[in-house]
Amino acid sequence: MGAGHAHALYRHGHSPVHALPPHCKLAAVFTFVVVVVSTPREAVWAFAAYAVLLAGVAYAARVPARHLLSRMLVEVPFVAFAVLMPFVAQGERVEVAGLSLSVSGLWGAFNVLAKGTLGVAASVLLASTTELRELLHGLARLRLPPLLVQIATFMIRYGDVIAGELRRMSVARRSRGFEARGVRHWGVLAKTAGALFIRSYERGERVHLAMMSRGYTGVMPVIDEVRASREQWVWAGVLPGAALVVCLTGWVLL
């Protein structure tokens, strides 16, 4: 996958976080998310501490708050789900601004919002400081099954290609005066989807034959393998290590 396929989340920089090997960052973020999910929801202060830790990482990575917050809008559907929980959950009720809300629903909504927001923020920080190609190499270094890594590689590489093909088909329809206005036109849209599937399948066969003719044996070659030093692992472990201390403290205090 060429360097020209950088994703929109990535923010180019030369910070210490950018310099860490991708597999170190992947392991750190995964461990951090596991620790956050394991934290009892009653330890409200612990989630505030996690937010401070992520803010510190964002500051070290020189990722502006505006960049981070704008890309966290992906969790809006989960926010809508959480907002409904106090209204539909059963159990003890409490009056808030004239509304009868479930206590367990309020705790559940807070649990979803706090842990979901922290997980999304950590993922966005990871994507903002690591190129997609490096993330895939990091997954391979962490011994993710090679087949899954290759599937993700081709999905990312050819996602834009397939989207471009769909745009050209849409332009071709409009240039012939077609506009989807109702149920009557669903048949045309279904044929478009079928044609796109066939073209994608045939492209996949051509790419596979081209790879086989160039010596592909089921394993993608690694050109620039990155190894992590002990010091880099230590720096990567600062975030999940601090989060683990906060989590254990939260369990002890409860």
Side-chain angles (χ1 to χ4, degrees):
M1 185 171 61
H5 291 84
H7 58 83
L9 291 176
Y10 179 70
R11 182 180 176 85
H12 182 73
H14 301 284
S15 71
V17 181
H18 284 79
L20 285 175
H23 48 291
C24 292
K25 288 185 279 189
L26 281 166
V29 170
F30 176 78
T31 307
F32 173 79
V33 171
V34 171
V35 171
V36 169
V37 172
S38 303
T39 304
R41 65 186 185 183
E42 291 79 8
V44 178
W45 64 270
F47 298 103
Y50 296 146
V52 172
L53 290 175
L54 288 180
V57 174
Y59 178 80
R62 302 185 183 94
V63 176
R66 184 175 182 179
H67 174 92
L68 183 63
L69 294 175
S70 64
R71 284 152 179 78
M72 289 177 59
L73 294 177
V74 68
E75 71 163 337
V76 169
F78 299 97
V79 173
F81 169 75
V83 169
L84 293 176
M85 292 181 66
F87 296 95
V88 299
Q90 302 297 321
E92 182 184 353
R93 314 294 291 187
V94 63
E95 292 289 333
V96 178
L99 299 175
S100 178
L101 304 178
S102 167
V103 174
S104 61
L106 287 172
W107 277 114
F110 171 76
N111 193 47
V112 171
L113 285 176
K115 296 180 179 180
T117 300
L118 290 168
V120 171
S123 301
V124 171
L125 274 176
L126 173 64
S128 299
T129 58
T130 316
E131 294 185 5
L132 271 177
R133 178 174 57 87
E134 294 178 351
L135 283 175
L136 294 171
H137 288 172
L139 291 173
R141 287 286 300 172
L142 293 175
R143 306 302 182 189
L144 192 74
L147 183 59
L148 294 181
V149 177
Q150 293 179 47
I151 290 174
T153 301
F154 286 110
M155 180 184 70
I156 294 169
R157 171 62 181 85
Y158 288 99
D160 291 339
V161 176
I162 302 303
E165 189 79 22
L166 182 61
R167 283 193 297 270
R168 288 190 292 272
M169 295 172 69
S170 177
V171 170
R173 290 198 310 269
R174 291 197 301 271
S175 66
R176 289 164 175 79
F178 174 81
E179 289 290 342
R181 301 180 184 276
V183 179
R184 294 180 304 169
H185 298 129
W186 285 7
V188 177
L189 298 178
K191 292 177 181 178
T192 300
L196 181 64
F197 173 79
I198 293 174
R199 292 185 184 184
S200 302
Y201 184 83
E202 291 176 345
R203 185 188 297 273
E205 286 189 325
R206 293 195 299 270
V207 171
H208 182 257
L209 289 175
M211 292 172 60
M212 296 294 292
S213 66
R214 289 164 174 78
Y216 174 72
T217 58
V219 179
M220 297 293 288
V222 178
I223 300 175
D224 50 349
E225 186 173 3
V226 179
R227 297 184 180 274
S229 65
R230 181 178 300 178
E231 181 182 2
Q232 289 174 321
W233 276 112
V234 170
W235 279 112
V238 170
L239 174 65
L244 181 59
V245 172
V246 172
C247 178
L248 294 177
T249 304
W251 279 107
V252 171
L253 294 179
L254 291 178

